[in-house]
Amino acid sequence: MSRAWIVDGVIAAGVAAALLIAGLSGPRPAEFAVLGYVFLVAGGLALAARRRAPIAVLAATAVCALGYQAAGFEVPVVAYLFAVYAAVRTGHRVAAVVASVLMLAGVPLTLLASGLHDAGEAFTQSRDVLQLAWLIAAGAAGEALRQAERRADEAERTREETARRRADEERLHIARELHDSLTHQISVIKVQAEVAVHLARKRGEDVPEALLAIRDAGREAARELRATLEALREDDRDPPRGLGDVPELVRRARSAGLDARLTIEGRRDDVPAAVGRTAYRIVQESLTNIARHAAAATASVRIDHRPGALVIRVDDDGRATVDTAPGVGLTGMRERVTALGGRLHTGPRREGGFSVQAELPVDPA
């Protein structure tokens, strides 16, 4: 049970007790006394649901107020004022105004219908139990708090947008710096190595292993840098990747020569967007590592929808040892999973190959 529910329950019990005490301390009508007490208590207890169902609570407290007025209890409609405040605070201003107008007319009519024959006395008594100033104060308090909460939400959104914009600017700045400082040098190294290998082979000479290593390292560095720059320059206007894009990842891995299989189990309920993006990145990084470093022939991707969790497992039959050090990709993977409150297990498999398993919570709480 949340703290808000506890607070609402305490307030409802307090209002119900206050109304009951007011009814017991005032004149006790002979007829319908028990029914009047029921209306007094029910009107107060209805406030326990004022956050979850403000319109229903507004109607319930109004009916209870008219009920104990008709039973002969001259008790102010305190519970109804709380309901007006709750309705206005949640944005139901029109409903609160309409209900209040009906109450201003309904209380004296109820008193007349219950046996009070003097219209002037009925209006005087209705003014005592429901004053217009009380209604205005309750509505004004609800509206003031609603506006304050809205301003706070807008300020929070503005801070988040500012932080996101600064992060985007910093990301683009880093991309420009990387491009200006590294791209040219790596390109020169790669081109020079390619030319040296080509000339050596053209002259029929043996190509030194060191030169081949430099050429291959230059190619790999160029690919890595290009991928990094693309990630840094990624535009938010592009649709975010999620679970629906995982089959395309597996299909591309198969087209590249890896025998990759995808298995999806469990009830495919909607998962939060952040969880879907993280799952996509885990599969993407795992397949990329397999293609680059594992020398694997097969890979299996398993996505299991479990109650309250999404489990992703990627296995391969490549080369892996206990001493295999975690790379940048695995570190980034762990950071993503930890940020969502999940768990990540990586390491060599007993039967050979490498395994990546992540468990991501999908409970909205």
Side-chain angles (χ1 to χ4, degrees):
M1 182 179 293
S2 67
R3 182 180 177 183
W5 290 8
I6 295 175
V7 172
D8 289 346
V10 172
I11 292 175
V15 173
L19 291 174
L20 183 59
I21 293 172
L24 291 172
S25 61
R28 302 185 184 183
E31 297 180 346
F32 309 115
V34 176
L35 186 59
Y37 291 133
V38 172
F39 279 127
L40 285 169
V41 175
L45 294 180
L47 294 175
R50 63 190 178 94
R51 296 179 194 265
R52 299 185 294 276
I55 300 300
V57 171
L58 187 69
T61 54
V63 170
C64 290
L66 295 176
Y68 64 71
Q69 293 296 325
F73 288 88
E74 299 179 14
V75 178
V77 291
V78 178
Y80 177 75
L81 295 177
F82 273 91
V84 169
Y85 160 80
V88 175
R89 181 180 175 181
T90 53
H92 302 287
R93 290 174 291 184
V94 175
V97 171
V98 172
S100 299
V101 171
L102 294 177
M103 279 290 289
L104 288 171
V107 171
L109 293 176
T110 301
L111 294 175
L112 289 174
S114 64
L116 195 62
H117 301 293
D118 188 349
E121 185 178 352
F123 279 100
T124 300
Q125 184 174 331
S126 67
R127 185 186 60 191
D128 293 337
V129 300
L130 179 61
Q131 293 189 8
L132 182 60
W134 294 354
L135 282 174
I136 294 175
E143 180 65 18
L145 190 55
R146 190 180 75 87
Q147 293 292 341
E149 291 175 344
R150 189 178 69 176
R151 286 194 294 271
D153 291 341
E154 291 177 353
E156 181 65 24
R157 284 196 299 271
T158 301
R159 285 194 295 269
E160 291 177 355
E161 291 173 358
T162 301
R164 190 181 302 113
R165 185 174 63 253
R166 289 176 178 173
D168 291 341
E169 292 173 353
E170 182 64 21
R171 189 179 69 244
L172 292 176
H173 174 71
I174 293 172
R176 287 194 297 269
E177 291 295 327
L178 284 175
H179 181 273
D180 295 340
S181 61
L182 295 180
T183 303
H184 177 69
Q185 287 83 351
I186 292 177
S187 297
V188 170
I189 293 172
K190 184 171 72 72
V191 170
Q192 293 290 340
E194 296 276 4
V195 170
V197 171
H198 174 72
L199 292 177
R201 287 175 174 171
K202 186 176 181 180
R203 291 194 295 263
E205 302 173 355
D206 292 333
V207 181
E209 291 294 330
L211 187 57
L212 292 174
I214 292 173
R215 183 198 62 179
D216 294 340
R219 290 176 177 176
E220 183 66 19
R223 283 195 295 267
E224 292 285 353
L225 181 59
R226 184 165 55 251
T228 301
L229 292 177
E230 289 176 355
L232 288 172
R233 289 168 173 166
E234 190 176 57
D235 196 333
D236 290 339
R237 292 174 296 182
D238 295 336
R241 302 292 185 176
L243 281 178
D245 300 294
V246 171
E248 176 62 21
L249 281 177
V250 177
R251 187 194 65 78
R252 289 207 302 264
R254 282 200 300 268
S255 65
L258 178 66
D259 184 10
R261 304 293 176 89
L262 173 63
T263 304
I264 301 177
E265 295 186 349
R267 182 177 177 182
R268 304 187 186 184
D269 295 328
D270 291 337
V271 299
V275 174
R277 288 195 297 269
T278 299
Y280 175 85
R281 294 302 183 190
I282 289 172
V283 176
Q284 182 186 45
E285 184 64 33
S286 299
L287 293 177
T288 301
N289 288 340
I290 292 171
R292 290 179 178 174
H293 310 300
T298 64
S300 65
V301 179
R302 183 188 185 94
I303 298 177
D304 190 1
H305 294 263
R306 299 178 183 177
L310 180 72
V311 178
I312 304 101
R313 179 164 182 161
V314 183
D315 297 331
D316 67 74
D317 63 351
R319 298 190 302 268
T321 65
V322 178
D323 297 329
T324 301
V328 176
L330 292 179
T331 302
M333 215 185 288
R334 190 173 301 280
E335 291 174 351
R336 288 176 180 272
V337 173
T338 303
L340 293 178
R343 295 192 296 269
L344 179 70
H345 302 284
T346 62
R349 301 165 61 208
R350 181 176 303 175
E351 58 272 28
F354 199 79
S355 177
V356 174
Q357 180 171 335
E359 182 175 346
L360 306 175
V362 298
D363 189 346

